[in-house]
Amino acid sequence: MPCDEAPDDLSLATELLGRTAHGRVAASMRALPFLAPARHIVTDGRVLLRMHGRPGYDQACVGHVVAYGADSLGLAESTAGAWAVHVVGECAAAEPTAAELDRLGPPPRVADGEPYDPVYLRLTPQFATVHSTDDGLRGGSGRED
């Protein structure tokens, strides 16, 4: 697993990412920060992202260090507490396997009022941050993947 940080931090972060299907990519484009929603799966310690390609956010991510975050807010398990995870690492364009595409499920038909144009990125986490409240790190998967 690619990481210079304590393995427990990254292991916990990737396990928590596996509990939810969507998160947010944070990067910058032309010196301005942005957040973009993405669908994700964790595979081989890396995070495969599917996002809408129209705004060109994927081009700002490829070859750069980006952050990706997700949380338990809105999941059934979040009633006992909440968690949030952020991973940071280098992002690359990706060609998902058939198995990975199956795990991601079908893409939306429309995003922001236009046809959805899926692009795939692979984030290799270098470090992670996990925050939780109450018993937020306990509970079931909250996801059917």
Side-chain angles (χ1 to χ4, degrees):
M1 191 181 288
C3 176
D4 295 331
E5 183 102 350
D8 291 346
D9 293 343
L10 191 57
S11 295
L12 177 59
T14 55
E15 188 269 323
L16 290 170
L17 282 173
R19 294 186 187 184
T20 186
H22 295 88
R24 293 155 298 281
V25 176
S28 64
M29 185 164 59
R30 293 186 281 283
L32 296 174
F34 69 85
L35 288 173
R39 168 75 168 98
H40 70 266
I41 59 171
V42 177
T43 178
D44 296 326
R46 297 183 294 169
V47 183
L48 177 64
L49 306 173
R50 177 179 65 208
M51 55 193 293
H52 184 42
R54 290 279 194 219
Y57 292 152
D58 61 305
Q59 296 170 8
C61 294
V62 171
H64 298 280
V65 173
V66 301
Y68 186 73
D71 55 55
S72 65
L73 302 176
L75 296 178
E77 71 182 48
S78 67
T79 58
W83 56 261
V85 61
H86 300 96
V87 293
V88 177
E90 189 169 342
C91 189
E95 286 291 329
T97 66
E100 289 171 331
L101 288 172
D102 187 53
R103 285 182 60 203
L104 284 167
R109 290 174 301 149
V110 176
D112 301 326
E114 58 186 49
Y116 189 80
D117 177 26
V119 294
Y120 300 92
L121 305 172
R122 199 170 305 271
L123 173 63
T124 303
Q126 298 300 308
F127 61 92
T129 304
V130 176
H131 299 283
S132 66
T133 60
D134 299 326
D135 288 328
L137 296 179
R138 294 184 184 184
S141 71
R143 165 174 170 183
E144 298 174 17
D145 189 42

